[in-house]
């Protein structure tokens, strides 16, 4: 199946998310109560909702997107170019920009969105945040009424599962065992909220997000036994 997919038809992506506000105390009393109810089964008995709030970014109802990095192969005759672009900053605008990109350049039936654990996290998170921000969903994210084979999403985690739905393999582990340069250098996902709110270093988050996007593209190449990208073939715009 994978060998029939043209790489230039795939939009690779990764998102970075943080809690919607920096501190639990900044939430309204009602939102605090709702967060406590939402997380009661994830928290240990001695961990309060306030202490657990640092993880709020993983839920679209309590978090927000601060960066979407995308990557795509340019159609070339004799060379290979992978272009990486990041949308970051104010959430409503970056979601509008992402929608415009998808609708303008990846809107055909043969176009696919690809992420690692995208079906469980990236794709639904983007869709939920678009609805919260009153943005109409692009066709590639609007799954209402679609049959599974009509959903234009690729998930490198799902591909690696080979039907074993209880199995989870992180991007860091998968790149390691497949000989792909690690995307996790100076920070990982657990650091993003701190870097955003305390260090106020969005550029650092963007670079991290771009490395993950490149790693997802490398995985798909590796699954097809194709040569990995080298630095000269990767262009940031």
């Amino acid at each position: 199946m994978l060998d029939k997919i043209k790489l230039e038809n795939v939009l690779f992506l990764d998102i970075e998310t943080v809690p919607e506000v920096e501190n639990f105390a900044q939430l309204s009393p009602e939102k605090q109560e709702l967060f406590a109810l939402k997380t009661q089964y994830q928290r240990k008995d001695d961990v309060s909702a306030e202490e657990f709030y640092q993880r709020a970014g993983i839920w679209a109802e309590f978090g927000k997107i601060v960066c979407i990095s995308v990557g795509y192969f340019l159609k070339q005759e004799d060379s290979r170019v992978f272009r990486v672009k990041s949308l970051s900053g104010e959430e409503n605008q970056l979601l509008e920009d992402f929608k415009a990109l998808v609708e303008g350049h990846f809107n055909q039936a043969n176009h696919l969105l690809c992420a690692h654990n995208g079906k469980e996290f990236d794709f639904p998170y983007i869709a939920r945040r678009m609805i919260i921000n009153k943005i109409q969903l692009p066709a590639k994210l609007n799954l209402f009424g679609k049959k599974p084979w009509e959903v234009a999403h690729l998930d490198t985690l799902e591909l690696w599962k080979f039907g074993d739905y209880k199995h989870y393999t992180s991007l860091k582990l998968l790149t390691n065992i497949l000989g792909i340069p690690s995307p996790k250098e100076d920070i990982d996902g657990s650091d993003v909220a701190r870097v955003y709110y305390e260090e106020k270093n969005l550029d650092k988050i963007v670079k991290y997000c771009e490395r993950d996007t490149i790693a997802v593209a490398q995985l798909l190449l590796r699954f097809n036994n194709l040569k990995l990208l080298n630095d000269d073939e990767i262009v940031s715009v």
Side-chain angles (χ1 to χ4, degrees):
M1 170 190 144
L2 288 180
D3 58 357
K4 296 179 181 178
I5 295 173
K6 293 183 178 180
L7 291 174
E8 61 266 24
N9 290 336
V10 181
L11 183 67
F12 300 89
L13 65 93
D14 183 64
I15 69 173
E16 297 305 328
T17 66
V18 299
E20 64 176 311
V21 292
E22 183 174 2
N23 300 307
F24 183 75
Q26 293 174 279
L27 295 175
S28 67
E30 182 181 18
K31 201 71 176 285
Q32 290 180 11
E33 181 181 354
L34 290 169
F35 181 76
L37 289 171
K38 176 77 172 180
T39 61
Q40 61 183 337
Y41 297 112
Q42 285 84 14
R43 289 184 281 117
K44 296 180 180 178
D45 293 338
D46 59 342
V47 178
S48 68
E50 183 172 6
E51 292 169 323
F52 202 72
Y53 184 69
Q54 62 182 330
R55 298 186 58 191
I58 66 174
W59 291 284
E61 299 85 356
F62 299 96
K64 64 181 180 181
I65 301 171
V66 295
C67 181
I68 303 177
S69 291
V70 299
Y72 49 92
F73 286 92
L74 297 180
K75 192 172 183 179
Q76 303 280 336
E77 292 296 332
D78 301 319
S79 61
R80 187 171 59 169
V81 176
F82 186 72
R83 184 170 288 178
V84 183
K85 177 182 177 67
S86 289
L87 311 169
S88 62
E90 196 274 320
E91 186 185 51
N92 187 276
Q93 187 59 57
L94 72 84
L95 289 173
E96 290 279 13
D97 291 343
F98 178 74
K99 177 184 176 181
L101 173 67
V102 172
E103 291 186 332
H105 301 283
F106 287 87
N107 59 359
Q108 301 301 310
N110 58 352
H111 287 144
L112 301 168
L113 305 181
C114 181
H116 190 73
N117 199 29
K119 291 187 177 182
E120 289 290 326
F121 185 70
D122 304 72
F123 306 142
Y125 201 111
I126 294 172
R128 290 166 184 154
R129 292 307 299 175
M130 281 186 169
I131 291 173
I132 290 170
N133 280 273
K134 300 179 181 179
I135 298 171
Q136 188 171 355
L137 296 178
K140 293 296 181 185
L141 289 176
N142 192 345
L143 308 187
F144 300 123
K146 288 185 179 177
K147 299 176 176 62
W149 57 87
E150 296 174 330
V151 177
H153 296 168
L154 272 180
D155 188 330
T156 49
L157 173 59
E158 183 179 78
L159 294 172
W160 183 250
K161 285 181 176 181
F162 290 97
D164 181 2
Y165 291 104
K166 64 183 180 297
H167 188 81
Y168 177 83
T169 306
S170 69
L171 183 61
K172 183 176 182 178
L173 173 57
L174 199 49
T175 53
N176 178 272
I177 62 176
L178 294 179
I180 298 169
S182 174
K184 315 297 183 185
E185 294 180 0
D186 50 346
I187 64 172
D188 61 27
S190 63
D191 299 315
V192 171
R194 175 185 56 79
V195 172
Y196 182 78
Y197 281 116
E198 296 179 19
E199 296 184 15
K200 303 188 186 308
N201 192 341
L202 184 57
D203 287 344
K204 191 174 185 179
I205 295 171
V206 168
K207 290 183 175 67
Y208 165 66
C209 194
E210 289 185 351
R211 290 195 298 269
D212 274 1
T213 301
I214 294 167
V216 174
Q218 299 279 44
L219 283 180
L220 198 62
L221 291 173
R222 187 69 170 76
F223 290 166
N224 281 310
N225 283 321
L226 296 173
K227 183 180 177 182
L228 295 178
L229 290 163
N230 59 51
D231 291 342
D232 292 337
E233 295 172 319
I234 302 171
V235 179
S236 295
V237 295

